[in-house]
Amino acid sequence: MKKFSKIIPEVDTKIISIDYINLNGTDSRHEVWSWDGIMGESLIFCKKDFKNPESEVLSVVENYIKEKFSEKKHTIKIKGDFVFFNYNFKIL
């Protein structure tokens, strides 16, 4: 999807798969990745699609993954034009 074309993975991050999904009317890029012995998933959103990006993304994501946000299990970061929600971490 063109709106996500400016996403650049962090150094040393291996992207395993990319899918584009729509969550309740909101476009998202879903990635499965590995980095430094950790495997995880990210849902990436365009910041401009939200008035209050962090709280609105959390609402969309909690509904999608069927669990409440917990800093011990998930991370959320706004970087540039994107909001990154990371989850499903596994030690390799």
Side-chain angles (χ1 to χ4, degrees):
M1 206 177 274
K2 186 176 181 177
K3 71 195 292 183
F4 297 104
S5 64
K6 293 184 180 181
I7 294 173
I8 300 170
E10 296 284 331
V11 176
D12 298 331
T13 299
K14 179 182 178 187
I15 304 298
I16 298 165
S17 69
I18 297 173
D19 294 305
Y20 297 95
I21 57 178
N22 188 286
L23 304 175
N24 294 333
T26 304
D27 293 328
S28 176
R29 174 172 159 153
H30 174 259
E31 294 181 349
V32 177
W33 48 265
S34 66
W35 172 82
D36 198 27
I38 299 170
M39 180 177 252
E41 295 181 58
S42 296
L43 290 169
I44 306 168
F45 300 88
C46 288
K47 185 169 76 173
K48 68 179 181 167
D49 290 343
F50 301 93
K51 290 180 184 172
N52 300 304
E54 188 168 332
S55 63
E56 291 178 49
V57 164
L58 283 179
S59 179
V60 169
V61 168
E62 286 175 343
N63 188 42
Y64 176 70
I65 65 172
K66 307 288 189 240
E67 64 181 82
K68 289 288 188 187
F69 176 74
S70 165
E71 290 181 4
K72 293 180 181 180
K73 295 176 68 175
H74 315 107
T75 65
I76 187 166
K77 178 169 84 172
I78 298 174
K79 184 176 178 184
D81 295 332
F82 302 101
V83 181
F84 295 80
F85 181 85
N86 304 301
Y87 66 108
N88 274 351
F89 304 114
K90 296 176 181 122
I91 305 291
L92 299 175

